[in-house]
């Protein structure tokens, strides 16, 4: 991919969001956690700043990776996911506990980079599909007209040749007929007709010959070696005109997309703006000498270290450098602490932010403020059944109070507790909703107490633990 010129880099920076705007966007989805939002906003902005630097200096500027410390359900993953969506960056979430050092059963650490490349390929491919969609539709329309227009018998030979009046009139008549058919096709008057088209069945999925000690190490792609075997068989199908048009459009889209350019663009995007979220990093923070099943913890850290430091990973789309991929690690660190990580790994996460546990006031805001707030979700779900759900402010405050109490008495799972409480609260309404069409259901504090009576009275809350 051709690198951007200095003027193009500055133009892209001018269109980029400022840290203040990034935090404001994150506030629409995640309640509180100002420190974490501020840290990721600066990290994202620094990426745009790096684009302004000369190429030789830009290569030397490494991303400032972030370590988020906080209990489950406080927004660590959501902040990283929303940030990636905001920046239109390839994003993948992996769990450190799924990896093991070489010689143990588990995923190879390099698989996180391969997963990120797959996401990048999908993003670039979808963008290119959108770009060629109009042209593909035009070409599909021409192919469909060729199928719909009955083949006319060849005109009788003329002594005056191709330029004769008879030949010209024949061409004009054929063109006029084709245009009339095009108008009928666009008006939907031909939807009842059936045409026969040739389609290619999807072949067997691509698989790789395993080489080396890793089950996920890139080997030889048999799809490239034996393309005729894996492309699938072509067969003729009779389809209604609308379905045939959609199928032909998809065929034309595939023809217009150059997968080599898609791969190059995706790799460049992954290398320059990819984000990998490593969750449960505290689960592999054990040190040597613990023995037993924990023996591979430090080995996992040492295997992850080169990826974060910057290395080149071999994927089926080409070599990918991780020098400028942003890594965001997160963990609760209940039984361990960040200093339990090996020193080399600690040094690769210079920015550390501690997320705060959520309380009653936070739950009230979570229920009402974000764009995807639970109250809005359940109200919209009931509206599909014709039921108007009205949840009063005192009911919301009572819900938040009960969720906070359950978190205190049992395991603190943060905002995820609200899902459990809301399901229990609206269990009766959800079950009978099809029979309540046109009715309005008001949920107040008294209704909350009645439906969640077991939660209020019982100390045995195991059934409400998510």
């Amino acid at each position: 991919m051709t690198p951007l010129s200095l003027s193009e880099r500055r133009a892209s920076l001018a269109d980029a969001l400022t840290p203040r705007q990034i935090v404001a966007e994150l506030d629409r989805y995640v309640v509180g956690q100002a420190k974490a939002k501020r840290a990721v906003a600066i990290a994202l902005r620094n990426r745009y700043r790096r684009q302004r630097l000369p190429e030789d200096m830009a290569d030397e500027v490494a991303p400032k990776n972030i370590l988020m410390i906080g209990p489950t359900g406080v927004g660590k993953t959501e902040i990283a996911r929303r940030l990636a969506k905001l920046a239109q960056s390839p994003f993948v979430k992996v769990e450190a506990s799924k990896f093991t050092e070489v010689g143990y059963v588990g995923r190879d650490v390099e698989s996180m980079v391969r997963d990120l490349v797959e996401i990048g390929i999908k993003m670039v491919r979808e963008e290119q599909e959108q770009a060629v969609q109009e042209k593909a539709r035009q070409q599909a329309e021409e192919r469909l007209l060729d199928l719909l227009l009955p083949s006319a018998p060849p005109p009788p030979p003329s002594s005056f040749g191709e330029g004769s009046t008879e030949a010209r009139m024949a061409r004009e008549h054929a063109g006029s007929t084709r245009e009339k058919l095009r108008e009928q096709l666009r008006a939907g008057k031909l939807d009842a007709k059936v045409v026969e088209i040739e389609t290619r069945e999807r072949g067997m999925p691509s698989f790789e010959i395993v080489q080396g000690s890793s089950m996920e190490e890139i080997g030889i792609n048999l799809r490239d070696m034996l393309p005729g075997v894996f492309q699938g068989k072509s067969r003729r199908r009779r389809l209604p005109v609308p379905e045939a048009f959609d199928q032909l459009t998809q065929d034309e889209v595939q023809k217009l997309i150059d997968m080599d350019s898609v791969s190059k663009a995706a790799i460049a995007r992954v290398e320059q703006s990819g984000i990998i979220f490593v969750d449960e990093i505290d689960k592999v923070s054990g040190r040597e000498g613990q023995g037993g099943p924990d023996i591979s913890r430090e080995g996992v850290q040492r295997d992850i270290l080169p990826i974060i430091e910057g290395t080149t990973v071999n994927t089926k789309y080409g070599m990918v450098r991780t020098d400028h991929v942003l890594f965001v690690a997160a963990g609760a660190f209940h039984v361990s602490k960040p200093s339990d990580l090996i020193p080399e790994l600690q040094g690769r996460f210079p920015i550390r932010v501690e997320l705060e546990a959520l309380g009653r006031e936070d739950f009230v805001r979570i229920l009402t403020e974000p764009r995807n707030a639970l109250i809005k979700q359940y109200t919209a779900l009931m509206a599909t059944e014709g039921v108007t759900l009205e949840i009063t402010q005192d009911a919301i405050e009572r819900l938040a109070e009960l969720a906070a109490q359950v978190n205190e008495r049992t395991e603190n799972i943060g905002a995820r507790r609200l899902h459990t409480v809301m399901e229990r609260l609206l269990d009766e309404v959800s079950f009978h909703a099809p029979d309540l069409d046109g009715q309005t259901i008001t949920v107040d504090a008294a209704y909350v107490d009645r439906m969640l009576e077991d939660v209020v009275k019982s100390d045995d809350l195991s059934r409400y633990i998510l």
Side-chain angles (χ1 to χ4, degrees):
M1 186 178 180
T2 306
L4 296 175
S5 66
L6 187 59
S7 60
E8 289 174 327
R9 291 175 182 175
R10 287 177 175 170
S12 66
L13 179 63
D15 296 334
L17 295 174
T18 66
R20 193 185 303 276
Q21 291 171 327
I22 294 170
V23 171
E25 286 293 320
L26 293 175
D27 283 340
R28 299 169 65 187
Y29 300 97
V30 182
V31 170
Q33 314 303 355
K35 293 180 181 178
K37 292 175 183 174
R38 186 183 181 97
V40 298
I42 293 173
L44 181 60
R45 183 66 180 187
N46 278 338
R47 283 193 154 177
Y48 290 106
R49 290 168 178 155
R50 176 177 163 271
Q51 293 176 4
R52 300 187 67 182
L53 299 174
E55 191 170 345
D56 56 342
M57 183 176 290
D59 284 339
E60 300 299 324
V61 178
K64 304 302 184 287
N65 299 320
I66 301 168
L67 177 62
M68 294 185 183
I69 305 166
T72 183
V74 296
K76 299 188 294 294
T77 305
E78 190 69 9
I79 288 174
R81 181 179 287 114
R82 294 292 177 182
L83 181 76
K85 191 172 183 180
L86 191 61
Q88 296 182 335
S89 300
F91 171 83
V92 66
K93 176 191 173 185
V94 298
E95 296 177 359
S97 56
K98 296 291 180 66
F99 301 112
T100 61
E101 65 176 316
V102 175
Y104 292 84
V105 177
R107 296 198 71 190
D108 170 21
V109 293
E110 290 187 350
S111 65
M112 67 174 75
V113 180
R114 299 189 188 113
D115 292 344
L116 188 65
V117 173
E118 292 288 350
I119 298 296
I121 292 287
K122 183 174 182 292
M123 290 178 66
V124 175
R125 187 186 180 93
E126 288 176 351
E127 291 172 4
Q128 292 202 10
E129 285 180 354
Q130 289 295 324
V132 303
Q133 190 71 27
E134 186 57 35
K135 185 176 181 180
R137 290 177 65 85
Q138 293 174 4
Q139 294 180 358
E141 185 178 75
E142 297 300 328
R143 287 179 60 186
L144 194 54
L145 288 173
D146 291 339
L147 295 171
L148 289 168
L149 194 63
S151 56
S158 172
S159 58
F160 298 99
E162 291 294 327
S164 65
T165 303
E166 292 88 344
R168 179 174 56 80
M169 291 179 63
R171 289 195 298 270
E172 289 178 354
H173 177 70
S176 174
T177 303
R178 189 179 182 89
E179 290 306 313
K180 288 180 182 177
L181 200 64
R182 189 190 307 275
E183 293 176 3
Q184 294 177 356
L185 176 64
R186 292 178 177 177
K189 296 179 180 179
L190 304 178
D191 288 356
K193 285 185 173 293
V194 176
V195 295
E196 188 177 86
I197 64 172
E198 186 173 318
T199 60
R200 186 174 294 276
E201 294 178 341
R202 183 172 297 178
M204 294 174 62
S206 172
F207 63 91
E208 297 163 354
I209 295 177
V210 178
Q211 295 179 338
S213 59
S214 170
M215 292 298 292
E216 296 186 23
E217 188 172 347
I218 295 298
I220 302 172
N221 193 327
L222 289 184
R223 183 185 291 272
D224 295 333
M225 292 179 59
L226 306 170
V229 175
F230 293 93
Q231 284 180 356
K233 298 179 181 179
S234 60
R235 65 187 183 97
R236 303 192 68 82
R237 299 175 59 193
R238 293 180 58 81
L239 297 172
V241 165
E243 293 183 26
F245 180 68
D246 291 340
Q247 183 66 49
L248 292 173
T249 300
Q250 288 301 315
D251 290 346
E252 293 301 321
V253 166
Q254 302 309 317
K255 293 177 183 177
L256 291 170
I257 291 179
D258 179 14
M259 281 308 297
D260 287 338
S261 65
V262 169
S263 300
K264 291 178 181 177
I267 288 175
R269 184 175 298 189
V270 165
E271 290 181 338
Q272 301 302 320
S273 64
I275 299 176
I276 295 181
F277 183 80
V278 185
D279 202 7
E280 296 184 352
I281 193 72
D282 57 318
K283 300 295 194 303
V284 295
S285 62
R287 306 299 291 271
E288 284 183 344
Q290 293 183 359
D294 299 327
I295 191 170
S296 66
R297 287 185 176 182
E298 186 168 337
V300 174
Q301 296 181 56
R302 296 198 179 279
D303 286 347
I304 292 177
L305 182 60
I307 307 290
I308 299 178
E309 285 181 331
T311 188
T312 302
V313 177
N314 185 17
T315 75
K316 64 182 178 182
Y317 301 103
M319 307 299 286
V320 179
R321 291 177 55 196
T322 64
D323 300 68
H324 299 289
V325 174
L326 177 65
F327 288 86
V328 181
F333 289 98
H334 288 314
V335 297
S336 60
K337 49 187 181 297
S339 59
D340 289 334
L341 295 168
I342 60 175
E344 299 92 332
L345 195 58
Q346 292 181 47
R348 286 294 166 180
F349 289 95
I351 302 175
R352 297 184 185 181
V353 289
E354 189 164 350
L355 285 80
E356 302 169 355
L358 301 175
R360 176 182 173 278
E361 291 76 13
D362 297 313
F363 287 161
V364 171
R365 295 181 59 196
I366 290 170
L367 285 169
T368 55
E369 290 184 11
R371 291 187 62 184
N372 58 340
L374 282 177
I375 297 295
K376 298 175 185 177
Q377 291 182 26
Y378 281 98
T379 301
L381 286 172
M382 291 301 102
T384 63
E385 301 274 11
V387 178
T388 302
L389 185 64
E390 295 181 355
I391 302 181
T392 63
Q393 184 62 33
D394 61 338
I396 293 173
E397 292 177 358
R398 183 61 176 151
L399 271 172
E401 182 180 348
L402 290 175
Q405 287 180 11
V406 176
N407 274 348
E408 289 175 3
R409 294 180 184 179
T410 61
E411 189 72 24
N412 187 349
I413 59 173
R416 294 188 178 94
R417 183 70 65 192
L418 293 173
H419 291 271
T420 312
V421 176
M422 284 294 295
E423 279 296 321
R424 181 70 183 89
L425 173 71
L426 298 176
D427 176 80
E428 189 174 304
V429 175
S430 297
F431 186 83
H432 295 289
D435 304 321
L436 302 175
D437 188 11
Q439 297 187 30
T440 299
I441 305 298
T442 302
V443 177
D444 55 14
Y447 184 94
V448 172
D449 286 337
R450 179 168 63 85
M451 293 302 298
L452 303 180
E453 184 178 11
D454 295 340
V455 178
V456 177
K457 292 182 178 179
S458 175
D459 288 331
D460 180 14
L461 302 170
S462 58
R463 59 179 296 193
Y464 302 105
I465 297 176
L466 187 61

